């Protein structure tokens, strides 16, 4: 890996990244990742469309999340081996097709299959973060990555609200038609305004994946981080994948719009996560991670004790997303 002097040398003569391009990267990150989460508030509508039970219906967001994990593992590393702009354009085209197939899914089996594809290609959102790092100069790299990551976070948190509102007004298929249009617009903007980005690594795709296994084997702290984040991600998926189904049941009888509104409560909690970042800077990451996990556990206890209380569910959503993002 080149040292700082080499990095600084590479940045000599490079212009600062224009603010419009930073906005494009941030919007692209949010629009890309949001596709994984639109399904969560509209699961009851999917259940009604295909006349299935709650358990089969809850498989759709679970499959989307599984696809997203596979996309992060199998597709994201491709950005090191090929031009990242071309990778983003290819994934955008495929994602538009997958979203349109979701909107037109004739039966539940097809919906499950295309949901896996949407999750897999939803890793597109993550491709914009290393693009930002590659385009920015050394002096502005941290700020640029932070802004693009904020766009990614907004896409995750606000997608549930958008999905719920659109689903309530126009049906669950409409959000996927709208999502396809948004991804297409981002793809056109990337094609028009972002420069080509050459590969940053040599070797084969298989060797690159193998290097991930080597890192996991070599570093105990990485194994602990993977386990911690995997368990937190599992609880996050379980909560948001079943919340809309629970809200739709008696005695609440709340629709997709109400389920989507819980995304705003989660967003309010998640945006408090920088407080834990400052705590980690001052006292190390372990205490922030432990407090985050404690908040997640507390949210579950609160919602278990008061399962039909809207106030408890809102507080639980705030604590839950705050804890996950902090950890």
């Amino acid at each position: 890996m080149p040292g700082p002097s080499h990095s600084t040398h590479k940045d000599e003569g490079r212009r600062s990244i224009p603010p419009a391009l930073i906005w494009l990267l941030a919007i692209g990150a949010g629009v890309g990742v949001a596709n994984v989460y639109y399904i969560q508030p509209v699961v009851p509508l999917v259940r009604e469309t295909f006349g299935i039970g709650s358990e089969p219906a809850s498989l759709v967001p679970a499959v989307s999340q599984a696809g997203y994990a596979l996309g992060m593992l199998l597709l994201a590393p491709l950005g090191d081996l090929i031009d990242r702009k071309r990778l983003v354009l290819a994934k955008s085209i495929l994602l538009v097709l997958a979203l349109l197939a979701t909107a037109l899914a004739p039966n539940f089996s097809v919906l499950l299959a295309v949901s896996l594809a949407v999750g897999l290609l939803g890793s597109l959102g993550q491709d914009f973060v290393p693009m930002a790092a590659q385009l920015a100069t050394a002096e502005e790299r941290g700020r640029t990555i932070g802004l693009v990551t904020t766009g990614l976070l907004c896409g995750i948190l606000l997608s549930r609200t958008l999905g719920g509102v659109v689903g309530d007004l126009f049906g669950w298929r409409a959000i996927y038609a709208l999502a396809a249009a948004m991804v297409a617009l981002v793809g056109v903007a990337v094609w028009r305004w972002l420069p080509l980005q050459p590969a940053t690594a040599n070797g084969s795709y298989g060797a690159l994946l193998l290097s991930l296994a080597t890192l996991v084997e070599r570093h105990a702290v990485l194994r602990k981080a993977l386990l911690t984040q995997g368990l937190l991600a599992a609880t996050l998926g379980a909560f948001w994948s079943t919340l809309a189904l629970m809200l739709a049941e008696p005695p609440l009888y709340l629709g997709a719009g109400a389920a989507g509104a819980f995304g705003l409560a989660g967003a309010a909690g998640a945006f408090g996560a920088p407080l834990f970042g400052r705590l980690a800077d001052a006292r190390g990451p372990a205490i922030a991670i432990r407090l985050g996990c404690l908040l997640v556990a507390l949210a579950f206890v609160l919602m278990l004790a008061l399962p039909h209380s809207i106030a408890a569910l809102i507080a639980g959503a705030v604590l839950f997303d705050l804890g996950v993002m902090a950890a």
Side-chain angles (χ1 to χ4, degrees), residues 245-264:
L245 289 167
M246 193 207 70
L247 291 174
E249 299 292 334
L252 298 176
Y253 296 108
L254 296 176
F262 273 81
L264 296 176

Side-chain angles (χ1 to χ4, degrees), residues 175-295:
I175 184 59
Y176 287 100
L178 176 61
M182 290 192 293
V183 172
L185 287 174
V186 167
V188 170
V190 167
W191 169 75
R192 176 64 179 83
W193 285 296
L194 284 185
L196 295 173
Q197 293 188 303
T200 57
N202 298 318
S204 68
Y205 175 66
L208 192 63
L209 291 182
L210 186 61
S211 70
L212 299 178
T214 303
L215 288 172
V216 173
E217 181 183 4
R218 185 177 300 166
H219 300 288
V221 67
L222 178 58
R223 293 194 296 272
K224 182 185 290 187
L226 285 170
L227 178 62
T228 304
Q229 295 305 306
L231 292 173
L232 285 169
T235 60
L236 185 69
F239 172 69
W240 285 106
S241 296
T242 57
L243 177 65
L245 289 167
M246 193 207 70
L247 291 174
E249 299 292 334
L252 298 176
Y253 296 108
L254 296 176
F262 273 81
L264 296 176
F271 279 111
L275 297 174
F276 287 82
R278 286 193 283 273
L279 178 64
D281 289 339
R283 300 184 57 183
I287 186 171
I289 294 169
R290 288 170 185 151
L291 283 174
C293 292
L294 181 62
L295 288 177

Side-chain angles (χ1 to χ4, degrees), residues 54-66:
S54 294
E55 287 187 13
S58 65
L59 287 175
V60 183
V63 165
S64 296
Q65 291 288 324

Side-chain angles (χ1 to χ4, degrees), residues 112-228:
L112 277 180
V114 292
S115 293
L116 179 65
V118 167
L120 190 72
L121 296 163
S123 60
L124 167 71
Q126 296 284 352
D127 292 319
F128 288 92
V129 179
M131 285 184 87
Q134 198 170 347
L135 286 171
T137 63
E139 293 77 13
E140 64 187 6
R141 189 163 293 131
R143 180 181 65 87
T144 301
I145 292 174
L147 290 170
V148 176
T149 303
T150 299
L152 186 81
L153 180 63
C154 288
I156 294 172
L157 296 174
L158 300 180
S159 59
R160 301 178 184 117
T161 302
L162 180 60
V165 170
V166 173
D168 230 5
L169 293 174
F170 306 107
W172 67 269
R173 296 180 188 273
I175 184 59
Y176 287 100
L178 176 61
M182 290 192 293
V183 172
L185 287 174
V186 167
V188 170
V190 167
W191 169 75
R192 176 64 179 83
W193 285 296
L194 284 185
L196 295 173
Q197 293 188 303
T200 57
N202 298 318
S204 68
Y205 175 66
L208 192 63
L209 291 182
L210 186 61
S211 70
L212 299 178
T214 303
L215 288 172
V216 173
E217 181 183 4
R218 185 177 300 166
H219 300 288
V221 67
L222 178 58
R223 293 194 296 272
K224 182 185 290 187
L226 285 170
L227 178 62
T228 304

Side-chain angles (χ1 to χ4, degrees), residues 39-48 54 57-58 60-61 240-241 244-245:
I39 189 64
Q40 291 177 347
V42 298
V43 174
L45 301 179
V46 172
R47 180 182 61 181
E48 293 172 10
S54 294
S58 65
V60 183
W240 285 106
S241 296
L245 289 167

